[in-house]
Amino acid sequence: TSMIVTAPTGAGKTMVGEAACFKAIKLGGLKAAFIAPSRAREHEYLEELAPRCRNEGIRIAILSGDEDVDNSTLNRADLWVGTFESFESAFRKGALADAVAELGCVVVDEIHTLGTERRGPLLEALLTRLRLLSSRTRLVGLSATVANNQELAEWLQAELVEVRWRPVHLTTQLVPYETQDKWIDNEKTKD
């Protein structure tokens, strides 16, 4: 079952995505992909996942244009890590068609990017093609800020997992300060 996981930052969304990928690879014998909105996030995932993948015998490949990875390496890899754009590019390559057909799980971090003007249409088209490709490809969307999570879950025919637990208690403090009579006119006082 596909799922949308909404939870505050630090509540474990990434671990849910990893577990879904590992399940597809280790139990399903399929490939998985972990896609993120930025190269910085892509590299963070790679650093986090690489040691666990090595321990489990999972071959990992980065889809980034920063790395020179040939199609045969991608075809042999069990787990792909990339940005939305790099995954979309790999998705269109004829030489990777068989590997794409073997995807059992695609984790989309920051799935609320669907609502952005610049990258939303690309992600929407990609998710639509993934849904049409195979009913066995599980989509796992992760977000701390998606506002229309119920609508998104319905569109992706996914189960909504909504967590409100926050690992760190947030506090709000108001710090008063005294000002001069005409503080609005005095930029130095406002600073």
Side-chain angles (χ1 to χ4, degrees):
T1 304
S2 293
M3 57 198 276
I4 301 296
V5 180
T6 61
T9 300
K13 295 182 299 295
T14 303
M15 287 181 9
V16 171
E18 283 181 35
C21 287
F22 287 4
K23 179 181 178 185
I25 295 165
K26 295 302 273 185
L27 300 179
L30 299 168
K31 293 182 181 301
F34 210 111
I35 59 176
S38 69
R39 279 190 255 175
R41 198 72 178 116
E42 166 191 68
H43 286 285
E44 283 177 36
Y45 287 134
L46 192 62
E47 287 177 22
E48 291 172 18
L49 289 168
R52 288 190 285 280
C53 287
R54 268 194 303 275
N55 291 343
E56 293 295 321
I58 294 172
R59 296 166 300 207
I60 190 169
I62 191 164
L63 295 172
S64 172
D66 293 346
E67 306 287 328
D68 188 23
V69 180
D70 60 27
N71 290 342
S72 63
T73 300
L74 292 176
N75 275 314
R76 285 191 312 271
D78 302 307
L79 176 62
W80 296 349
V81 177
T83 62
F84 301 157
E85 290 82 4
S86 63
F87 182 76
E88 201 274 337
S89 175
F91 193 86
R92 285 186 285 117
K93 285 184 178 179
L96 297 176
D98 290 340
V100 168
E102 290 180 42
L103 283 170
C105 180
V106 176
V107 176
V108 182
D109 189 28
E110 310 284 344
I111 196 161
H112 58 267
T113 306
L114 274 166
T116 63
E117 189 176 310
R118 197 178 113 236
R119 300 174 83 202
L122 172 94
L123 185 56
E124 181 179 346
L126 180 60
L127 292 174
T128 300
R129 288 198 327 258
L130 276 169
R131 285 180 46 220
L132 294 173
L133 174 72
S134 172
S135 60
R136 73 176 180 187
T137 302
R138 180 182 198 188
L139 296 175
V140 179
L142 310 176
S143 178
T145 62
V146 68
N148 61 338
N149 54 9
Q150 187 62 48
E151 287 177 275
L152 183 58
E154 287 173 15
W155 177 65
L156 290 173
Q157 299 169 348
E159 181 180 331
L160 176 61
V161 179
E162 191 173 14
V163 177
R164 296 193 191 280
W165 171 77
R166 181 177 290 277
V168 177
H169 182 68
L170 296 181
T171 60
T172 304
Q173 296 180 348
L174 178 62
V175 180
Y177 62 94
E178 293 183 28
T179 63
Q180 300 169 356
D181 287 341
K182 296 188 178 189
W183 69 275
I184 291 175
D185 298 328
N186 187 340
E187 288 298 319
K188 189 174 183 180
T189 303
K190 286 197 286 186
D191 291 342

